[in-house]
Amino acid sequence: MGKASPFFLVLLAFGFFIATYNLLALVIQNQNRDMASKSGDGSALSLRIDPIVGMPNELKKSRTRRPFHVALTATDASYNKWQCRIMYYWYKKMKESEVSEMGGFTRVLHSGSPDNLMDEIPTFVVDPLPAGMDRGYVVLNRPWAFVQWLEKAKIVEDYILMAEPDHIFVNPLPNLSRGDYPAAFPFFYIKPSENKKIIRKFYPEEKGPVTDIDPIGNSPVIIKKSQLEKIAPTWMNVSIKMKDDFVTDATFGWVLEMYAYAVASALHGVQHILRKDFMIQPPWDLNVGSTFIIHYTYGCDYNLKGELTYGTIGEWRFDKRSHLRGPPPRNLSLPPPGVPESVVKLVKMVNEATANIPGWDEGR
């Protein structure tokens, strides 16, 4: 018997490859159908990808325009006001982009009475918590403010972005949510699994594993209005219960309300798509790139060599807490050479806003 030609062997191997590929594809397809039939819902196919890691494949294709309403809670303190003015300036600029899906804008003012920015920034006034209830933790008013706003205001958009005064839109923001999966930024310091004993006080075992709780706060989050209407009252109640619990309050501190939102969402079975590109936080994040928001919550301190001196007041610095009683002056000095792009961009954007906002020097 003669030897088979090399061509015939290659052809035979290729045939085996095609047959094996088709067999595997058929097996996978049948497994997917079994999953769907067991759940009674074809959406099980899209859930094979964990939404905590990435968005379901089917939902990636949805690109119809879905405008979202930008909402931020604020007080009437000067410290909050100047941040809101800068934030609103950049919202208006970024909204003009074709890529942006920003809709309307509301500053939800939880001071209980109008202030002098009512004509400059679209504002909805709500009541603060009863006197003494926040115990000096002003952020406790945030969920209560959202509850009131959602109940009383007319919001035409189907989605809401919960933002904060110290956010600057650095790139036009599309609607990052998909289907029933809101989009959120993952915070490295929100660790439900490492605080399991405390979390179980508010998220009982029958609700599911602690890993179902996302490592997020309420902001930034893009979420369906219908979902937030259900979550907000729970978020408020969990926040108050956490504050009332001495151990929880001492452990979570200033991020207590963030944990409360994460728990409240899980109690309603809502999981988020985690987007690290949603936001950067100078000085730790060095580059802007294609991210969407700069969150300037941390102080930026550098020596004149451009070296970070965090924890020590630098020869050059930008820290929002340096301006508790009034707005920063126009034309802040730029950082020295060597300072990361994110910090330079932040200062330039603050300078542009303050140069163009009417009456900035009046110190509203």
Side-chain angles (χ1 to χ4, degrees):
M1 184 174 175
K3 292 184 179 180
S5 68
F7 175 78
F8 175 78
L9 292 174
V10 170
L11 186 63
L12 185 63
F14 181 74
F16 274 118
F17 170 77
I18 294 297
T20 303
Y21 175 84
N22 289 334
L23 179 61
L24 287 173
L26 183 62
V27 170
I28 291 170
Q29 185 178 25
N30 287 334
Q31 286 179 338
N32 286 345
R33 285 175 179 167
D34 288 342
M35 287 174 62
S37 62
K38 288 178 183 177
S39 69
D41 183 358
S43 64
L45 296 178
S46 66
L47 295 179
R48 291 177 66 242
I49 292 182
D50 185 353
I52 303 303
V53 176
M55 70 183 70
N57 281 332
E58 290 182 6
L59 299 177
K60 288 182 180 179
K61 301 175 184 177
S62 173
R63 289 312 308 155
T64 54
R65 182 171 172 77
R66 298 169 303 135
F68 55 85
H69 195 97
V70 179
L72 68 154
T73 57
T75 71
D76 59 358
S78 177
Y79 174 64
N80 250 207
K81 286 180 180 178
W82 67 257
Q83 293 173 50
C84 288
R85 298 179 80 190
I86 292 173
M87 198 267 201
Y88 184 57
Y89 172 86
W90 283 106
Y91 153 80
K92 290 188 292 183
K93 290 204 70 172
M94 294 300 169
K95 183 185 177 184
E96 296 173 359
S97 168
E98 292 182 1
V99 180
S100 167
E101 292 183 273
M102 295 177 177
F105 185 103
T106 300
R107 179 182 63 133
V108 185
L109 181 64
H110 53 77
S111 62
S113 57
D115 65 5
N116 60 353
L117 291 184
M118 303 294 291
D119 294 333
E120 180 178 334
I121 303 175
T123 300
F124 192 92
V125 179
V126 297
D127 294 324
L129 288 168
M133 194 169 182
D134 65 12
R135 279 157 290 175
Y137 181 52
V138 69
V139 184
L140 207 62
N141 286 281
R142 181 177 292 155
W144 173 223
F146 270 109
V147 168
Q148 295 174 82
W149 177 62
L150 290 165
E151 286 180 350
K152 299 175 182 179
K154 184 177 180 180
I155 307 161
V156 297
E157 296 86 357
D158 292 327
Y159 295 84
I160 292 170
L161 164 65
M162 292 186 282
E164 296 181 17
D166 59 354
H167 287 177
I168 290 179
F169 295 108
V170 71
N171 278 307
L173 180 59
N175 190 333
L176 302 176
S177 70
R178 293 292 180 269
D180 288 330
Y181 296 96
F185 176 79
F187 289 91
F188 71 90
Y189 49 79
I190 302 297
K191 301 176 179 179
S193 295
E194 293 185 12
N195 294 280
K196 186 175 180 179
K197 188 174 181 180
I198 291 176
I199 291 294
R200 281 303 185 199
K201 295 180 181 181
F202 312 97
Y203 190 73
E205 288 189 16
E206 59 266 25
K207 283 293 183 179
V210 170
T211 51
D212 284 349
I213 300 171
D214 298 330
I216 61 173
N218 83 289
S219 175
V221 167
I222 299 177
I223 186 171
K224 281 184 176 179
K225 179 174 61 179
S226 58
Q227 291 177 310
L228 186 56
E229 287 171 340
K230 295 174 182 177
I231 292 172
T234 307
W235 172 27
M236 179 189 71
N237 291 329
V238 172
S239 295
I240 293 172
K241 288 178 181 178
M242 284 185 171
K243 189 67 179 175
D244 286 340
D245 184 89
F246 177 80
V247 175
T248 304
D249 187 24
T251 302
F252 289 164
W254 64 274
V255 298
L256 179 148
E257 166 269 337
M258 297 173 69
Y259 271 101
Y261 174 80
V263 169
S265 298
L267 287 170
H268 285 275
V270 175
Q271 292 183 304
H272 299 69
I273 299 166
L274 303 186
R275 295 287 302 248
K276 290 186 177 180
D277 62 341
F278 208 153
M279 185 170 77
I280 59 171
Q281 302 183 96
W284 311 118
D285 297 307
L286 307 182
N287 301 306
V288 175
S290 58
T291 57
F292 301 106
I293 293 172
I294 290 179
H295 181 211
Y296 55 99
T297 189
Y298 298 104
C300 300
D301 288 275
Y302 294 86
N303 61 29
L304 296 182
K305 296 179 181 179
E307 298 168 335
L308 183 65
T309 62
Y310 191 77
T312 302
I313 295 178
E315 296 173 280
W316 180 93
R317 78 177 330 218
F318 176 78
D319 188 338
K320 66 178 185 178
R321 295 166 190 81
S322 299
H323 310 285
L324 293 174
R325 297 184 179 180
R330 285 175 166 164
N331 196 29
L332 295 170
S333 64
L334 294 179
V339 170
E341 175 209 9
S342 60
V343 179
V344 177
K345 182 74 171 179
L346 167 61
V347 177
K348 287 183 176 180
M349 294 186 81
V350 168
N351 280 345
E352 179 179 331
T354 60
N356 290 282
I357 296 174
W360 184 261
D361 291 331
E362 296 172 9
R364 291 192 180 190

